[in-house]
């Protein structure tokens, strides 16, 4: 199985990240920290073009890597065996036509979780051993043994940060996937509202001539548990009227509407979820760590749905720490910190959680001024006009 394989001689600072918050540091300082994280090696020597097959033999030292996009498209790249993740990311961004890729990242799928890779590191760090030893990095099924996923790495609470057409489309697709899979406590009304916006974004205006009977795949637009609860026939019977209500909305407007509704704080889907447990030996997945733009959220499973237990905004967290499989949150308090301890499946996952929290916090801090400016523009009606023109 692939693992993060981060440096075993990791420093104490990395093991224990003391959070730097808005009231303790300026946005300018946070911006400089964020920029330093983005100053990666941009050498392009390892890469060729995007490929739709991986049958051609490669010269020594070259390997195939597959990248799965949120559109379900699978593209192959040729990479130097010692090439870095940044090189794969740059080529994937070019394939999508992204001029602004800051919200995206590359991840591999392991034990039900998407684990984002550090783009500074060699891609071989995240590969199974057979990828390194097999010719061309190809398995017995003729497919690359290293598959990475181009996904949303940084969720935002302010939709105004998503103002590029391609970025908006893929962010929308990510939230569509999250709504189907996250088991958030979604009301029936909200599920219909989201589905109607998605149908408008995907199919355009409802017409009786084009959209007859079962004109959409139900499980592409509704979580399975909602379908089980209310039934397919009820959905088929009522969905056309709600779809019709969105007539006149452009694709971009419908996507923005979906993004806003799916990010509602009552049941947010704009965050990452990772399985945890309270004590050693307990069943996995009884507690979930949610990582979003505003901070950390702890959920528990209640009757096959997630129930919010605690929320820690970034300014309420004094320190995050891991030790082997143990992940700890120390919250600000008087006269001393409160400590919340959870356990994850392995040490590599604990390291990853600390890393993705640190990166998300830096991203949040670096964009505070930008969000304030965009909200001012929205009040003036300027930013909304830009989005409408980009639709």
């Amino acid at each position: 199985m692939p693992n993060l394989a981060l440096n075993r001689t990791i420093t104490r600072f990395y093991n224990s990240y003391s959070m730097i918050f808005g009231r303790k540091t300026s946005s300018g300082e946070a911006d400089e920290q964020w920029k330093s994280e983005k100053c990666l090696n941009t050498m392009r020597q390892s890469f060729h073009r995007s490929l739709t097959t991986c049958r051609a033999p490669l010269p020594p030292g070259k390997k195939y890597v597959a990248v799965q996009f949120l559109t379900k498209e699978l593209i192959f790249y040729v990479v130097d065996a010692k090439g870095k993740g940044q090189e794969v990311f740059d080529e994937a961004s070019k394939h999508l036509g992204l001029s602004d890729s800051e919200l995206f990242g590359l991840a591999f799928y392991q034990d039900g979780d998407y684990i984002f890779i550090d783009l500074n590191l060699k891609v071989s760090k995240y590969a199974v051993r057979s990828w390194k030893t097999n010719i061309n990095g190809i398995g017995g099924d003729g497919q690359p043994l290293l598959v990475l996923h181009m996904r949303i790495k940084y969720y935002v609470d302010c939709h105004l940060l998503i103002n590029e057409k391609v970025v908006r489309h893929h962010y929308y697709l990510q939230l569509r996937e999250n709504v189907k899979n996250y088991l958030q406590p979604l009301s029936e009304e909200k599920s219909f509202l989201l589905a109607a916006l998605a149908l408008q974004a995907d199919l355009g205006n409802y017409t009786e001539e084009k959209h007859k009977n079962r004109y959409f795949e139900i499980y592409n637009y509704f979580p399975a548990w909602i379908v089980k609860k209310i039934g397919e026939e009820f959905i088929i019977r009522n969905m056309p009227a709600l779809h019709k209500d969105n007539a006149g909305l452009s694709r971009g407007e419908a996507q923005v509407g979906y993004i806003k509704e799916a990010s509602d704080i009552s049941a947010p889907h704009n965050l990452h979820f990772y399985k945890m447990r309270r004590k050693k030996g307990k069943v996995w997945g009884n507690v979930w760590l949610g990582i979003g733009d505003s901070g950390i959220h702890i959920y528990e499973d209640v009757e096959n749905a997630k129930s919010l237990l605690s929320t820690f905004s970034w300014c309420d967290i004094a320190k995050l720490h891991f030790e082997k499989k143990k992940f700890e949150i120390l919250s600000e308090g008087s006269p001393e910190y409160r400590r919340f301890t959870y356990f994850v499946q392995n040490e590599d996952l604990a390291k990853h959680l600390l890393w993705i929290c640190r990166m998300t916090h830096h991203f949040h801090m670096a964009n505070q001024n930008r969000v304030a400016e965009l909200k001012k523009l929205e009040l003036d009606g300027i930013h909304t006009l830009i989005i409408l023109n980009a639709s």
Side-chain angles (χ1 to χ4, degrees):
M1 296 296 292
N3 58 57
L4 298 186
L6 299 179
N7 195 329
R8 293 291 181 183
T9 60
I10 197 163
T11 65
R12 187 66 178 173
F13 170 77
Y14 190 76
N15 279 357
S16 182
Y17 173 50
S18 296
M19 308 299 283
I20 305 170
F21 300 102
R23 67 173 187 273
K24 296 180 181 179
T25 187
S26 68
S27 295
E29 290 172 325
D31 188 49
E32 287 302 313
Q33 291 173 345
W34 171 245
K35 288 179 180 177
S36 68
E37 294 286 352
K38 295 180 71 175
C39 289
L40 306 173
N41 188 328
T42 57
M43 296 294 290
R44 304 297 197 273
Q45 296 177 355
S46 303
F47 270 86
H48 303 287
R49 57 192 173 86
S50 302
L51 303 170
T52 55
T53 65
C54 53
R55 298 174 183 173
L58 299 177
K62 301 292 184 180
K63 302 284 185 180
Y64 282 109
V65 173
V67 175
Q68 177 87 59
F69 296 93
L70 287 163
T71 57
K72 306 306 179 186
E73 182 183 23
L74 187 67
I75 294 293
F76 307 109
Y77 296 101
V78 178
V79 58
D80 189 282
K82 297 182 180 180
K84 292 188 176 181
Q86 183 68 45
E87 296 160 356
V88 185
F89 182 76
D90 288 344
E91 291 299 315
S93 297
K94 289 179 184 177
H95 178 74
L96 293 181
L98 292 173
S99 60
D100 183 359
S101 59
E102 67 174 350
L103 297 184
F104 292 81
L106 290 173
F108 63 85
Y109 188 72
Q110 177 177 293
D111 299 329
D113 293 318
Y114 285 98
I115 308 298
F116 286 91
I117 73 171
D118 185 339
L119 299 181
N120 282 302
L121 300 181
K122 297 175 182 178
V123 291
S124 60
K125 295 287 186 180
Y126 303 96
V128 293
R129 182 178 177 83
S130 52
W131 182 83
K132 305 170 189 177
T133 57
N134 285 21
I135 296 177
N136 298 346
I138 299 296
D141 60 354
Q143 297 295 306
L145 290 162
L146 177 56
V147 180
L148 298 173
H149 299 260
M150 187 76 161
R151 300 174 63 80
I152 298 301
K153 180 179 179 181
Y154 299 113
Y155 290 104
V156 295
D157 290 338
C158 178
H159 72 280
L160 301 175
L161 288 170
I162 310 168
N163 53 20
E164 184 182 321
K165 185 176 180 179
V166 177
V167 175
R168 183 182 65 230
H169 177 61
H170 285 263
Y171 195 96
Y172 156 77
L173 291 177
Q174 180 71 77
L175 291 186
R176 284 274 306 276
E177 180 180 311
N178 295 354
V179 167
K180 288 191 295 180
N181 299 330
Y182 270 8
L183 294 177
Q184 285 282 56
L186 199 66
S187 68
E188 295 175 23
E189 293 77 10
K190 177 58 77 70
S191 67
F192 272 97
L193 173 61
L194 289 169
L197 287 167
L199 286 171
Q200 182 68 22
D202 296 350
L203 304 179
N205 292 338
Y206 175 86
T207 62
E208 293 184 358
E209 294 77 17
K210 290 172 57 179
H211 305 128
K212 296 179 180 180
N213 301 319
R214 191 169 180 149
Y215 66 94
F216 63 95
E217 175 51 53
I218 292 177
Y219 288 94
N220 284 343
Y221 293 88
F222 286 86
W225 67 272
I226 287 283
V227 178
K228 182 179 180 180
K229 182 179 179 181
I230 63 179
E232 294 186 16
E233 290 304 318
F234 184 83
I235 292 173
I236 293 297
R237 187 167 60 251
N238 291 280
M239 202 63 244
L242 295 172
H243 181 183
K244 193 182 300 183
D245 286 343
N246 289 322
L249 287 181
S250 69
R251 182 184 189 186
E253 290 172 317
Q255 288 180 343
V256 169
Y258 190 98
I259 290 168
K260 292 169 69 175
E261 292 295 338
S263 304
D264 183 77
I265 59 173
S266 62
H269 293 83
N270 56 331
L271 70 170
H272 299 291
F273 275 121
Y274 294 95
K275 296 184 292 291
M276 304 190 301
R277 59 188 178 189
R278 289 189 181 90
K279 296 180 180 179
K280 293 180 179 179
K282 295 290 184 180
V283 177
W284 288 113
N286 64 328
V287 178
W288 295 84
L289 175 71
I291 304 170
D293 187 24
S294 60
I296 292 174
H297 312 271
I298 306 297
Y299 290 78
E300 67 176 345
D301 286 331
V302 177
E303 297 180 353
N304 296 320
K306 291 183 174 70
S307 177
L308 182 64
L309 288 177
S310 305
T311 294
F312 305 91
S313 64
W314 294 124
C315 61
D316 290 333
I317 302 173
K319 189 178 184 181
L320 296 175
H321 172 77
F322 85 87
E323 182 179 351
K324 296 183 178 179
K325 298 180 182 181
K326 183 167 65 175
F327 183 82
E328 292 185 327
I329 304 169
L330 278 71
S331 69
E332 293 278 13
S334 180
E336 58 185 23
Y337 298 138
R338 293 185 63 195
R339 185 185 302 269
F340 299 83
T341 302
Y342 301 96
F343 296 88
V344 296
Q345 297 184 52
N346 54 64
E347 184 178 354
D348 284 330
L349 180 56
K351 291 178 183 178
H352 174 69
L353 295 182
L354 183 65
W355 178 75
I356 195 69
C357 283
R358 177 167 60 91
M359 296 295 289
T360 301
H361 173 240
H362 284 180
F363 179 83
H364 169 80
M365 289 296 296
N367 282 285
Q368 281 188 322
N369 289 339
R370 184 180 169 198
V371 169
E373 292 171 359
L374 289 173
K375 287 183 175 180
K376 185 178 184 303
L377 288 175
E378 185 183 41
L379 290 175
D380 296 336
I382 298 175
H383 193 272
T384 301
L385 181 61
I386 293 173
I387 288 180
L388 291 177
N389 290 337
S391 299

